[in-house]
Amino acid sequence: MFDGPFDVFALIIAIIAFLIAIKASSQATELRRRISSLEEMLYAQRPVQPPPLAPAQAEAPATTAAAEPTPLAPETETTPPPLVTEEISPPPLEPSTGAAAPPPVPEAAPGFEERLGTRWVVWIGGLALALGGFFMVRYSIEAGLLGPGVRVFLGGLFAAALLGAGEWTRRKESISSIAALPIANIPAILTAAGTAVAFATIYAAYALYDFLVPATAFVLLGIVAMGTLAAALLHGPALAGLGVVGAFVTPILVSSGKPDYWALYIYLAVVTAASFGLARIRLWRWLAVTTIAFAVLWIFPGLDTEQVQVAPHAFHAIAGFVLAALLVVCGFMFGPSMEDGEIEPVSSGALGAYLFGAMLVVLSSAHADLALIAFTLLVGGTLFVAWRAPAATGALGAAAATVFIVFAEWAVRANPDMLVLPGGPMPGVGPVATDSAVTLHLVTAAIFAAGFGVTGFFAQGRSNSAIIPVVWSAAGVATPIAILVALYARIAHLDRSIPFAILAVLLAAAFGAATEALMRREERPGVATSVALFATGTLGALALALTFALEKGWLTIALALMSLGTAWISLQRPIPVLRRLAAIFAAIVTARIVYDPRIVGDAVGTTPIFNWLLWGYGLPAASFWGASIFLRRRADDAPLRVVETAAILFTALLAFMEIRHFATGGRMTAAPSLLEFALQVCVTLAMAIGLERLRLRTHSIVHNVGAVVLTAIAGLISVIGLLILENPLLLSSVNVGGLVFNLLLLGYALPAVLMLLLSYAVAGHRSVAYANTIAGGALVFALTYVTLEIRRFYHGPVLLYGGTTSAEQYTYSIGWLAFGVALLGVGILVNSERARLASAAVIALTIFKAFAVDVWTLTGVYRALSFMCLGVVLVAIGWLYQRILFRRQIAPPPAAPQTGS
């Protein structure tokens, strides 16, 4: 589009001239507006000259003043009002007059046109200038128009021109009588563009054309960075923002086919130093945060390759960390000052960001030795800086998290025995396949555990703030435990390991000693919470010792016991964090059973009841019930509800899993049966009754909802499992067993009794419809039991096959009728309306059967007997209602009045 590079410069100069013209026009408009506002304000403040007083009027005030003298200011009595001259100046107001200055006239808000001409055009123009310089260099490289030397020379010339233009415009504004408008940062933007072009030119001369050796490039980049720092001190934050963005984007716009990471990260170190220095001098937090964000993003290039260049990436992370510690962290070295006892987010986030970058290098390089050593140095540096500067204490959480991620990824990446091939160890590993990787990780793990644990203990009592010692103790407890678990998973393959159990016991002893030592100290802010955390760490380490020494399923039990122990400690030390910690342990155990409901896989065992399910579910359930008792003594809050939910869940799962194990003979994947469904319904109803009784005492919403959920589960299993899928009269050919003591008694009679008890348990405490629904279910199951028992009498243990004779059909009617009469008798004896209504429903069903079925299927004497018995029963029922129930409801007539004889 342009004939040569000089056309580009001409276009740029024209754009600059256009911008300067827009700026001058905007300044003139703003000056006219301000002068008009000033004139209006001065005329509004001009005093009004009062008319001369007549002699009679002058004597009256004098007489009044003589009678009652009023104190007046001397100036008010003697000094005449000031004369107005040609020069307009506001008259002085005297304090005694009580006159207040009128409020200043507010400036009108800038409109769209003003914002467009004074802000947006200038910003876009400055960005266009910077990009023009970058793209000019790139275009000259791709087209081959100019030699490398000429390209570098023209780039430097363009940068010098922009810097000169920026300084000239700044001086013109400063020497004129017109103050520079704050919305038109043309000098700052021109200087920023020149700075960015200078960065690009020096970097291209070094990395692309090898005109400069690393030392010279480093010195020149440092000079440009210092110049940018000095210029930003004069021009303000606009130059700083554009300069930082341009400096970090430069390596993308001016790049080569073969990346040189050393040159890149040396350049970025100089830019970071300049930016942090400027942020420190002007206290621009946003500039420090922007620099950190760009620096962390620049650690990603090259991490996705097969051969990661560890050394330059590690240098980038270490250099940024050191610069952040020197210039950004408050209260440390050259950082800003800050009051003791406060955690400053930028100080902590800066260290955490570079720790995150170092962690990425370790993970991407497959835990290379150099990367792991660099990461260890940064973690140690974090502990040192946080020890000296409390403002960076928040970085301890990032350090602990990155340490755990590194070791956890190392644990799941591969097992040590996978490094050994049939022909021997892999090349480069060493005489033993695990020496190179495992030994270094063990050393670093010991360093991390000791560093976090020791500093977490000795940091207690050093601060007047409560949060700082708590953060130290939390990191000192959690990090060693997390490292121990990761090492156990990698080296011991989650199997039994006595050495790891011994390490866990030693760790528990250390935490216990720290707990005792802290309890003897004087009361200081945060010490009580730290004591609770070290005590919790003691319980956790002991639980891990049991896990390491025993089988895999004990991990679930150990975590549940940690929840119980933490709840008990929270009772002794009422610290909110302990209640949440108990709930977290309960949630972890719950997630563990989602992964493997059998706890120990196929090693459950075949012994009914006394198998791994009893320990894997029973002990956690007991632990959670105990923890809920401890937590309820303090408050009914979210942690308590989590633990109560876990207690109910594990109790129900214990019952269901044990029933399934018993019904299937240990084959947990077998199809369900009538026995399993019957036991599940009975146990679920029993637990629902227990929760209904318990909620009346605790008033817990968890117990309330848990009772309803268990009732709903029992209802679903009853209908789908017992009445449909495994009903021996419909679909199942199950052998129900003996004549009286059989599966029918367990699957239908006992659930009917439990449903009836549940309906009475909820009566008066829940809605009438809810209680009547459960009672209706009891009636259905009782009538089903009567029917199936009659079927069992005629057909033997298998009820599905064989036709129905007249005698069997007649027995159904007699059985239903007898059942209805029995219900009526119970209702009369205990005066239960519900039992009498149930009796009426059963008798109505019997009547319907007589007229809809018996009249067509029965023959001979059975048909006659059926209707005769039905008639007799109905008449007897009517007599009972008339003679007994009706009489009880009629009040005796009033006695006749006695009359005297």
Coordinates of all heavy atoms in Angstrom, one line a residue, residues 141-174:
I141 N 11.4 -7.4 8.0 CA 12.0 -8.8 8.0 C 11.4 -9.7 7.0 O 12.1 -10.4 6.3 CB 11.8 -9.3 9.5 CG1 12.5 -8.5 10.5 CG2 12.2 -10.8 9.5 CD1 12.3 -8.9 11.9
E142 N 10.1 -9.7 6.9 CA 9.4 -10.6 5.9 C 9.7 -10.2 4.5 O 9.9 -11.1 3.6 CB 7.9 -10.6 6.2 CG 7.6 -11.2 7.6 CD 6.1 -11.0 7.8 OE1 5.4 -10.4 7.0 OE2 5.6 -11.6 8.9
A143 N 9.7 -9.0 4.2 CA 9.9 -8.5 2.8 C 11.3 -8.5 2.4 O 11.6 -8.5 1.1 CB 9.2 -7.2 2.5
G144 N 12.3 -8.4 3.3 CA 13.7 -8.3 3.0 C 14.0 -7.0 2.3 O 14.9 -7.0 1.5
L145 N 13.3 -5.9 2.7 CA 13.6 -4.6 2.0 C 14.9 -4.0 2.4 O 15.6 -3.4 1.6 CB 12.4 -3.7 2.3 CG 11.0 -4.1 1.8 CD1 10.0 -3.1 2.2 CD2 11.0 -4.3 0.3
L146 N 15.2 -4.1 3.7 CA 16.4 -3.5 4.2 C 17.2 -4.5 5.0 O 16.7 -5.5 5.4 CB 15.9 -2.3 5.2 CG 15.1 -1.2 4.6 CD1 14.6 -0.3 5.7 CD2 15.8 -0.5 3.5
G147 N 18.5 -4.2 5.1 CA 19.4 -5.1 5.8 C 19.1 -5.0 7.3 O 18.5 -4.1 7.8
P148 N 19.7 -5.9 8.0 CA 19.4 -6.0 9.5 C 19.9 -4.7 10.1 O 19.3 -4.2 11.0 CB 20.2 -7.2 9.9 CG 20.3 -8.1 8.7 CD 20.4 -7.1 7.5
G149 N 21.1 -4.2 9.7 CA 21.6 -3.0 10.4 C 20.7 -1.8 10.1 O 20.5 -1.0 11.1
V150 N 20.3 -1.6 8.9 CA 19.4 -0.5 8.6 C 18.1 -0.6 9.4 O 17.5 0.4 9.9 CB 19.1 -0.4 7.1 CG1 18.2 0.7 6.8 CG2 20.4 -0.3 6.4
R151 N 17.6 -1.9 9.5 CA 16.3 -2.0 10.3 C 16.5 -1.6 11.7 O 15.6 -0.9 12.3 CB 15.9 -3.5 10.2 CG 15.6 -4.0 8.9 CD 15.4 -5.5 9.0 NE 15.6 -6.2 7.7 CZ 15.7 -7.5 7.5 NH1 15.7 -8.3 8.5 NH2 15.8 -8.0 6.3
V152 N 17.6 -2.0 12.3 CA 17.8 -1.6 13.7 C 18.0 -0.1 13.8 O 17.5 0.5 14.7 CB 19.0 -2.4 14.3 CG1 19.4 -1.9 15.7 CG2 18.7 -3.9 14.3
F153 N 18.7 0.5 12.9 CA 19.0 1.9 12.9 C 17.7 2.7 12.8 O 17.4 3.6 13.5 CB 19.9 2.3 11.8 CG 20.1 3.8 11.7 CD1 20.9 4.5 12.6 CD2 19.5 4.5 10.7 CE1 21.1 5.9 12.5 CE2 19.7 5.9 10.6 CZ 20.5 6.5 11.5
L154 N 16.8 2.3 11.8 CA 15.5 3.0 11.7 C 14.6 2.8 12.9 O 13.9 3.7 13.3 CB 14.8 2.5 10.4 CG 15.5 2.9 9.1 CD1 14.7 2.3 7.9 CD2 15.6 4.4 8.9
G155 N 14.7 1.6 13.5 CA 13.9 1.4 14.7 C 14.3 2.3 15.8 O 13.5 2.9 16.5
G156 N 15.6 2.4 16.0 CA 16.1 3.3 17.0 C 15.8 4.7 16.7 O 15.5 5.5 17.6
L157 N 15.9 5.1 15.5 CA 15.6 6.5 15.1 C 14.1 6.8 15.3 O 13.8 7.9 15.8 CB 15.9 6.7 13.6 CG 15.9 8.2 13.1 CD1 16.9 9.1 13.8 CD2 16.1 8.2 11.6
F158 N 13.3 5.9 15.0 CA 11.8 6.1 15.2 C 11.5 6.2 16.7 O 10.7 7.0 17.2 CB 11.1 4.9 14.6 CG 9.6 5.1 14.7 CD1 8.9 6.3 14.4 CD2 8.8 4.0 15.2 CE1 7.6 6.4 14.5 CE2 7.4 4.2 15.3 CZ 6.8 5.3 15.0
A159 N 12.2 5.4 17.5 CA 12.0 5.4 19.0 C 12.5 6.8 19.5 O 11.8 7.4 20.4 CB 12.7 4.3 19.7
A160 N 13.6 7.2 19.0 CA 14.1 8.5 19.5 C 13.2 9.6 19.1 O 13.0 10.6 19.9 CB 15.5 8.7 18.9
A161 N 12.6 9.6 17.9 CA 11.7 10.6 17.5 C 10.5 10.6 18.4 O 10.0 11.7 18.7 CB 11.3 10.4 16.0
L162 N 9.9 9.5 18.7 CA 8.8 9.4 19.5 C 9.1 9.9 20.9 O 8.3 10.7 21.5 CB 8.2 8.0 19.6 CG 7.6 7.4 18.4 CD1 7.2 6.0 18.6 CD2 6.3 8.3 18.0
L163 N 10.2 9.5 21.5 CA 10.6 10.0 22.8 C 10.8 11.5 22.8 O 10.4 12.2 23.7 CB 11.9 9.3 23.3 CG 11.7 7.8 23.6 CD1 13.1 7.2 23.9 CD2 10.8 7.6 24.7
G164 N 11.5 12.0 21.7 CA 11.7 13.5 21.6 C 10.3 14.2 21.5 O 10.2 15.3 22.1
A165 N 9.4 13.7 20.7 CA 8.1 14.3 20.6 C 7.4 14.3 21.9 O 6.7 15.3 22.3 CB 7.3 13.6 19.5
G166 N 7.5 13.3 22.7 CA 6.8 13.2 24.0 C 7.4 14.2 24.9 O 6.6 14.9 25.6
E167 N 8.7 14.3 25.0 CA 9.3 15.3 25.9 C 9.0 16.7 25.4 O 8.8 17.6 26.3 CB 10.8 15.0 26.0 CG 11.6 15.9 26.9 CD 11.1 15.8 28.3 OE1 10.5 14.8 28.7 OE2 11.4 16.7 29.1
W168 N 9.0 17.0 24.1 CA 8.8 18.4 23.7 C 7.3 18.8 24.0 O 7.1 19.9 24.5 CB 9.0 18.4 22.1 CG 8.7 19.8 21.5 CD1 9.6 20.8 21.6 CD2 7.5 20.2 20.9 NE1 9.0 21.9 20.9 CE2 7.7 21.5 20.5 CE3 6.4 19.5 20.5 CZ2 6.8 22.2 19.8 CZ3 5.4 20.2 19.8 CH2 5.6 21.6 19.5
T169 N 6.4 17.9 23.8 CA 5.0 18.3 24.1 C 4.8 18.5 25.6 O 4.0 19.3 26.1 CB 4.0 17.2 23.6 OG1 4.4 15.9 24.1 CG2 4.0 17.1 22.1
R170 N 5.5 17.6 26.4 CA 5.4 17.8 27.9 C 6.0 19.2 28.3 O 5.4 19.9 29.1 CB 6.2 16.7 28.6 CG 6.0 16.7 30.1 CD 6.9 15.7 30.8 NE 8.3 16.1 30.7 CZ 8.9 17.0 31.5 NH1 8.2 17.6 32.5 NH2 10.2 17.3 31.4
R171 N 7.2 19.6 27.7 CA 7.8 20.8 28.1 C 6.9 22.0 27.6 O 6.8 23.0 28.3 CB 9.2 20.9 27.5 CG 10.2 20.0 28.2 CD 11.5 20.1 27.5 NE 12.5 19.3 28.2 CZ 13.2 19.7 29.2 NH1 13.1 20.9 29.6 NH2 14.1 18.9 29.8
K172 N 6.3 21.9 26.4 CA 5.5 23.0 25.9 C 4.3 23.2 26.9 O 3.9 24.3 27.1 CB 5.0 22.7 24.5 CG 6.1 22.7 23.5 CD 6.6 24.1 23.3 CE 5.6 25.0 22.6 NZ 6.2 26.4 22.4
E173 N 3.7 22.1 27.4 CA 2.6 22.3 28.4 C 3.1 22.8 29.7 O 2.4 23.6 30.3 CB 1.9 20.9 28.6 CG 1.1 20.5 27.4 CD 0.4 19.2 27.7 OE1 0.7 18.5 28.7 OE2 -0.5 18.8 26.9
S174 N 4.3 22.5 30.1 CA 4.7 22.9 31.5 C 5.1 24.4 31.4 O 5.0 25.1 32.5 CB 5.9 22.0 31.9 OG 7.0 22.1 31.1

